[in-house]
């Protein structure tokens, strides 16, 4: 079972599940926890090979697929008896949430997708290809620092870069390669998802300076009536760390509407 931690107000309160991205851990959400605990039961988890889940050898064997990693989350929900929840994700964690909505739509009340990855553009694909070529002879932390700098290049993104690099040090070289291979699945998987809308209320929260990933999100929101977009000025990829107050205010307002609407329909 994945490493996890819960904060519960009581059985009558709705759940929010936080899903971090590749190279991160549940510590990514430290600036959300206090605000969310006042309104929801909260589940934090470390994905396989990340954070404190890296010690659980039974979940880190063999090659990975997005389905494998998503089913880890489903098994954890079953273990905890969480039938339905709101999901908040960051970066690659947004793909896992969307995959969960595909596999088990009845379990997803709504989605908050920060720094969402919906498509790899030509720059991202070149970056992935360079990484695939270099992973066999370059130290993985050197590659990770390079990726972090390209995705979050500005001086005001430094805190986010340092946070992700610090957490990525907990990954071993083998784990890094397993997760890195998932990048090659992003475009075909997200193309499939675009053809199969799930109709679940979705809020995208993106940084204005998230230049690799913002444009595809704008396109998605323009064609999906169930989704909305909030753009944070002067902010990069990891918007929940760089501007936590705005992220919390916008996401909690959205989730409160979804929670209250669900209550009224019961």
């Amino acid at each position: 079972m994945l490493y996890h931690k819960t904060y519960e107000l009581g059985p009558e309160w709705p759940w929010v599940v936080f899903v971090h991205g590749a190279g991160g851990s549940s510590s990514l959400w430290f600036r959300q926890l206090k605000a969310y605990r006042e309104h929801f039961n909260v589940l934090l988890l470390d994905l396989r090979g990340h954070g404190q889940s890296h010690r659980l050898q039974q979940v880190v064997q063999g090659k990975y697929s997005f389905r494998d990693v998503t089913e880890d989350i489903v098994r954890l929900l079953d273990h905890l008896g969480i039938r339905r929840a709101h999901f908040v994700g960051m970066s690659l964690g947004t793909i896992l949430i969307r995959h969960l909505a595909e596999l088990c739509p009845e379990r997803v009340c709504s989605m908050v997708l920060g720094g969402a990855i919906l498509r790899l553009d030509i720059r991202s694909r070149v970056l992935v290809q360079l990484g695939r070529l270099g992973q066999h002879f370059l130290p993985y932390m050197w590659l990770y620092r390079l990726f972090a700098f390209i995705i979050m290049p500005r001086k005001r993104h430094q805190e986010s870069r340092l946070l992700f690099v610090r957490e990525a040090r907990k990954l071993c070289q083998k784990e890094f390669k397993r997760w890195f291979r998932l990048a090659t699945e992003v475009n075909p998987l997200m193309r499939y998802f675009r053809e199969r809308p799930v109709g679940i209320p979705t809020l995208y929260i993106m940084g204005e300076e998230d230049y690799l990933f913002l444009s595809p999100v704008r396109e998605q929101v323009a064609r999906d009536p169930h989704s909305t977009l909030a753009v944070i000025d002067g902010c990069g990829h990891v918007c929940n760390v760089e501007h936590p107050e705005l992220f919390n205010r916008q996401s909690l307002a959205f989730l409160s509407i979804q929670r209250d609407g669900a209550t009224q329909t019961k």
Side-chain angles (χ1 to χ4, degrees):
M1 195 62 59
L2 298 177
Y3 173 82
H4 60 279
K5 193 167 185 179
T6 60
Y7 301 86
E8 299 186 44
L9 293 173
E12 71 280 8
W13 292 80
W15 281 91
V16 168
V17 179
F18 286 95
V19 184
H20 64 81
S25 76
S26 55
S27 65
L28 173 74
W29 307 108
F30 71 102
R31 291 180 175 171
Q32 280 66 60
L33 188 55
K34 180 179 178 181
Y36 271 78
R37 287 177 61 185
E38 296 177 0
H39 306 281
F40 297 93
N41 294 329
V42 172
L43 169 61
L44 301 178
L45 58 89
D46 287 344
L47 297 171
R48 59 166 66 183
H50 289 69
Q52 297 193 53
S53 287
H54 80 284
R55 303 172 183 173
L56 308 179
Q57 295 302 315
Q58 67 270 26
V59 299
V60 294
Q61 303 301 318
K63 295 182 179 179
Y64 295 169
S65 70
F66 279 112
R67 186 183 185 105
D68 294 332
V69 182
T70 302
E71 287 178 346
D72 289 343
I73 302 173
V74 176
R75 282 191 288 271
L76 179 58
L77 297 177
D78 290 341
H79 172 72
L80 296 172
I82 300 175
R83 186 176 62 87
R84 282 172 57 82
H86 304 274
F87 288 82
V88 180
M90 180 58 56
S91 194
L92 184 137
T94 65
I95 301 178
L96 301 179
I97 292 173
R98 178 59 183 84
H99 209 316
L100 198 153
E102 179 71 23
L103 295 176
C104 312
E106 73 282 357
R107 306 191 75 156
V108 182
C109 300
S110 68
M111 301 181 286
V112 175
L113 308 180
I117 300 175
L118 299 186
R119 185 179 70 236
L120 298 183
D121 64 10
I122 184 63
R123 294 168 296 182
S124 305
R125 294 198 298 273
V126 168
L127 180 61
V128 169
Q129 186 60 31
L130 289 174
R132 291 184 65 187
L133 294 173
Q135 65 177 318
H136 301 294
F137 57 87
L138 292 174
Y140 82 97
M141 283 307 303
W142 190 93
L143 286 172
Y144 197 88
R145 288 190 185 95
L146 173 63
F147 298 152
F149 182 79
I150 292 174
I151 295 171
M152 299 169 275
R154 299 201 176 187
K155 184 175 181 180
R156 55 175 165 258
H157 306 160
Q158 183 178 17
E159 182 181 4
S160 300
R161 287 199 306 271
L162 294 177
L163 173 64
F164 267 72
V165 169
R166 185 181 71 236
E167 290 299 318
R169 288 196 183 101
K170 299 176 184 178
L171 293 174
C172 65
Q173 182 91 0
K174 185 181 294 186
E175 281 295 323
F176 175 82
K177 290 181 178 180
R178 286 168 172 160
W179 280 89
F180 190 82
R181 290 190 189 103
L182 288 180
T184 62
E185 300 180 21
V186 169
N187 277 1
L189 181 65
M190 299 312 293
R191 190 179 305 116
Y192 172 77
F193 286 161
R194 285 196 297 273
E195 297 171 356
R196 292 174 57 88
V198 290
I200 295 173
T202 304
L203 171 65
Y204 293 94
I205 303 181
M206 306 292 293
E208 176 196 21
E209 297 168 354
D210 194 356
Y211 64 97
L212 286 181
F213 305 117
L214 177 57
S215 180
V217 171
R218 291 189 188 277
E219 295 171 8
Q220 174 66 18
V221 171
R223 61 175 169 258
D224 181 4
H226 300 282
S227 65
T228 56
L229 170 63
V231 178
I232 301 178
D233 293 338
C235 182
H237 183 60
V238 192
C239 48
N240 71 306
V241 172
E242 294 181 32
H243 289 273
E245 296 84 5
L246 277 174
F247 183 94
N248 294 349
R249 186 185 316 140
Q250 292 169 342
S251 59
L252 283 170
F254 170 79
L255 292 176
S256 295
I257 292 172
Q258 307 311 315
R259 178 193 59 196
D260 294 345
T263 300
Q264 292 172 10
T265 60
K266 289 183 179 179

